[in-house]
Amino acid sequence: MRDAHTVRAPGMLRLATASLAGTAIEFYDFFVYGTAAALVLGPLFFPTFSPLAGTLAAFGTFGVGFVARPLGSMLFGHVGDRHGRRPVLVASLLLTGLSTVAVGCVPAYDRIGAAAPVLLLVLRFLQGLGLGGEWGGAVLLTAEHAPEHRRGLWSGFPQIGPAVGFLLANGVMLALSAALSDAQFTQWGWRVPFWAAGLLAVAGLWLRSSITESPRFLELGDKARLPLAEVARDHWRLVLLTAGALAAGYAVFYAVTTWSLAFATERLGVDRTVMLMCIMAAVVVKGALTPVAAVLGDRFGRRPMCLAGCAGCALWMFPMVALLSTGAPLLMFLGFLGALIAFITMFAVIAAYLPELYDPRVRCTGAAVGYNLGGVLGGALTPIVATALAEHGGRVPWGVGAYLTGIALLSLGCFTLLPETRPVRVPVAQAVLD
């Protein structure tokens, strides 16, 4: 049954594809920094530190982006709840793209001294600010256009964006790493992916130029005057629960894509090209499974999928670090694959789940703040904590496994306290395009 807001499948496909593309571009910007932090930023911008301290410092600037993301969700959430979801997509894409290009232009420490890491820190903060607004705008536009019984499916499209962005970022890094000598890659090659962000931003703006405003926003009569204040007053418990629930997904994803890259190349002596290929192969499978998990969320509910994903993470973290410590490409790939399948089981449905938890008048702020606070808890700290734990853990970093398992159990507890939100039950066979 349709209502006045339902958009037919051809229109939904265009909208979802545009949201996916924009999200992919912004996450490309964010991920390319994480890869550079794992591979080259420590020696270039913190050369007076020991190798371990330099890596920790580089991951510290990486973490600043996560700290900025909740602030970005507050800023852009206000815009989204007061003036519409569509303006958020344009402004966030511009901010993230320009700051990413600027990172590629920052001279190294040997050229401008302490100003180099300071500039890096500021630009990483701006990157996070932009990305903090991106997710809420892209997801809400898709979710609020979609028919209720297929909201999980269509909202899952923006969730494919991070996988595409990661593959783009690491594919470029992989190609440069293979084509250039170590000296060339360290001197200028790592900057190329950051410069490419400018072209991608232009493409993203063009794709989003045809997106229409959310019909559910347009029907709101009494818009929240101060959305953040309303969220803090009436929904603070929900924000904290969603942040805690999502922490495990962030921790697992960045343990796989960022920390493991640094650990294997520095501690195990694995070639960086081999590591990038192992991680990228697992991310490809994760991206392909995203719509499958999203459809299952429409069939079985959001909360059961999230509980299953969290439980999978808790059970798989020790096997993952054991497989990583072998240094064998196939075994490392299997370790990463298991972790990312558990991750996407919950994160494929989050784009439908979070908006359904919040009142429409504060949905852009509430959902985005909860989502990005989870990033601070799980994503910002994981590379730093895992690097420190692995330094004292021998060849097999069991401490990292214990840390990730603990976060997964915390998130599992938070999900048990959240309600189910799926509007209607439909058979999987009916979750196809109208």
Side-chain angles (χ1 to χ4, degrees), residues 202-283:
V202 172
L205 290 171
W206 176 77
L207 284 169
R208 287 182 164 178
S209 63
S210 61
I211 292 179
T212 58
E213 185 53 79
S214 159
R216 283 175 173 77
F217 172 79
L218 293 175
E219 78 170 356
L220 286 176
D222 182 24
K223 297 181 176 66
R225 183 169 165 271
L226 293 172
L228 181 61
E230 194 167 318
V231 168
R233 184 186 68 240
D234 301 330
H235 304 288
W236 62 270
R237 183 175 180 271
L238 181 57
V239 170
L240 293 179
L241 282 176
T242 53
L246 298 180
Y250 278 104
V252 169
F253 186 82
Y254 287 99
V256 170
T257 60
T258 302
W259 167 74
S260 67
L261 181 59
F263 175 79
T265 54
E266 294 174 8
R267 291 284 302 279
L268 305 180
V270 179
D271 182 77
R272 67 178 174 229
T273 301
V274 172
M275 276 304 298
L276 286 172
M277 291 183 68
C278 289
I279 296 169
M280 288 172 64
V283 171

Side-chain angles (χ1 to χ4, degrees), residues 84-382:
R85 323 309 192 195
R86 191 173 180 274
V88 171
L89 299 186
V90 176
S92 62
L93 187 58
L94 276 174
L95 178 59
T96 309
L98 291 174
S99 57
T100 303
V101 172
V103 169
C105 300
V106 176
Y109 187 94
D110 62 357
R111 299 285 300 278
I112 59 173
V118 171
L119 286 172
L120 205 62
L121 201 68
V122 170
L123 292 171
R124 180 60 176 173
F125 181 87
L126 294 176
Q127 263 193 332
L129 207 66
L131 192 63
E134 160 64 26
W135 186 86
V139 163
L140 286 189
L141 266 176
T142 308
E144 291 181 342
H145 275 90
E148 284 188 348
H149 63 289
R150 297 192 180 99
R151 187 176 293 142
L153 170 63
W154 291 116
S155 300
F157 272 68
Q159 294 299 81
I160 302 173
V164 176
F166 179 85
L167 292 171
L168 281 174
N170 285 275
V172 174
M173 283 287 191
L174 180 60
L176 290 167
S177 178
L180 302 175
S181 66
D182 286 345
Q184 289 172 322
F185 182 81
T186 302
Q187 185 175 11
W188 59 268
W190 68 271
R191 298 179 182 272
V192 174
F194 290 90
W195 297 334
L199 297 175
L200 292 175
V202 172
L205 290 171
W206 176 77
L207 284 169
R208 287 182 164 178
S209 63
S210 61
I211 292 179
T212 58
E213 185 53 79
S214 159
R216 283 175 173 77
F217 172 79
L218 293 175
E219 78 170 356
L220 286 176
D222 182 24
K223 297 181 176 66
R225 183 169 165 271
L226 293 172
L228 181 61
E230 194 167 318
V231 168
R233 184 186 68 240
D234 301 330
H235 304 288
W236 62 270
R237 183 175 180 271
L238 181 57
V239 170
L240 293 179
L241 282 176
T242 53
L246 298 180
Y250 278 104
V252 169
F253 186 82
Y254 287 99
V256 170
T257 60
T258 302
W259 167 74
S260 67
L261 181 59
F263 175 79
T265 54
E266 294 174 8
R267 291 284 302 279
L268 305 180
V270 179
D271 182 77
R272 67 178 174 229
T273 301
V274 172
M275 276 304 298
L276 286 172
M277 291 183 68
C278 289
I279 296 169
M280 288 172 64
V283 171
V284 167
V285 179
K286 169 236 172 193
L289 290 177
T290 300
V292 177
V295 169
L296 291 176
D298 280 332
R299 174 65 180 89
F300 298 107
R302 327 298 190 206
R303 185 170 172 268
M305 295 293 289
C306 292
L307 291 171
C310 267
C313 288
L315 293 171
W316 190 248
M317 291 303 97
F318 282 108
M320 186 193 78
V321 296
L323 292 168
L324 169 64
S325 68
T326 67
L330 179 59
L331 295 179
M332 291 191 297
F333 163 73
L334 292 175
F336 300 152
L337 180 61
L340 292 184
I341 288 174
F343 160 82
I344 205 57
T345 299
M346 54 178 153
F347 264 57
V349 302
I350 286 300
Y353 194 22
L354 261 62
E356 289 169 349
L357 285 168
Y358 289 88
D359 188 280
R361 56 187 273 119
V362 295
R363 183 174 282 164
C364 196
T365 301
V369 169
Y371 184 83
N372 288 296
L373 277 178
V376 176
L377 296 174
L381 297 177
T382 292

